[in-house]
Amino acid sequence: MRLHAIIIGKEAKAPLHYVNSVQAVAGKGLEGDRYFYGTGTFNKPQLNQAVREVSILPYETLAECNQRLKSDLDFLDLRRNLIIENFDYEVLKDNTFTIDEATFKIVRTCPPCRYLSRLLDEDMMRGLKHIGGYRAVIVRSGTIRVGDTIELH
């Protein structure tokens, strides 16, 4: 497994952008991202913020989503933070894993939501059904970089 892309954005609803590296901060998220600053769309008191630190999307999801919707979306449109090539949930699901200096743990799935459908004017509930990715927490802070390999901790 390899980190293909890192995607962040400072404000809710604003366009996201790619970065080559980022500081992953335990208990906060990715430095420079809206959830790190507590300004994400789902940063609301009634929602569990412990699952908002990082979102992960398998690389292969984009092609499947575009096929389902007959669209030409980019990873930026799917609004997930880390895009991982050859992602293997079965290997990672009950373990901590490292990406360069940082350690992560998957805490739940990241199903599609109506918010994303409204934002893109696409049926993302259908496009990402059962393939919406995962949410993870940062167990140990550190810098991560595009191209890093994912290792079991």
Side-chain angles (χ1 to χ4, degrees):
M1 291 177 272
R2 187 180 80 83
L3 183 57
H4 173 80
I6 302 168
I7 299 170
I8 60 174
K10 202 166 190 173
E11 298 174 19
K13 301 179 185 174
L16 304 182
H17 61 277
Y18 293 103
V19 295
N20 289 323
S21 65
V22 72
Q23 183 71 18
V25 180
K28 294 231 10 163
L30 302 180
E31 191 171 336
D33 190 59
R34 61 219 182 271
Y35 289 97
F36 178 88
Y37 298 114
T39 60
T41 300
F42 296 100
N43 280 114
K44 297 178 180 167
Q46 69 271 28
L47 299 174
N48 180 358
Q49 297 307 306
V51 300
R52 305 268 176 235
E53 290 181 30
V54 178
S55 55
I56 296 173
L57 189 73
Y59 176 85
E60 299 74 18
T61 298
L62 181 62
E64 175 71 19
C65 178
N66 277 330
Q67 182 180 359
R68 289 177 181 183
L69 299 177
K70 298 182 181 10
S71 61
D72 191 23
L73 298 171
D74 185 88
F75 285 118
L76 294 172
D77 298 317
L78 303 184
R79 303 186 73 80
R80 305 300 193 250
N81 298 124
L82 306 180
I83 311 302
I84 299 178
E85 294 175 3
N86 301 310
F87 183 84
D88 189 341
Y89 175 70
E90 291 303 315
V91 169
L92 300 179
K93 70 178 178 180
D94 294 320
N95 298 297
T96 57
F97 58 95
T98 59
I99 304 175
D100 199 355
E101 301 170 353
T103 303
F104 299 83
K105 180 162 182 55
I106 292 173
V107 291
R108 59 171 274 200
T109 61
C110 186
C113 60
R114 286 178 177 73
Y115 166 75
L116 191 56
S117 293
R118 287 191 307 271
L119 196 64
L120 297 174
D121 196 27
E122 292 276 0
D123 184 1
M124 299 311 294
M125 303 296 283
R126 183 170 61 88
L128 291 176
K129 185 176 184 176
H130 304 301
I131 60 169
Y134 304 89
R135 294 206 177 275
V137 294
I138 302 163
V139 177
R140 183 177 53 116
S141 301
T143 302
I144 61 174
R145 295 166 184 83
V146 169
D148 288 342
T149 58
I150 285 72
E151 306 284 339
L152 285 181
H153 190 253

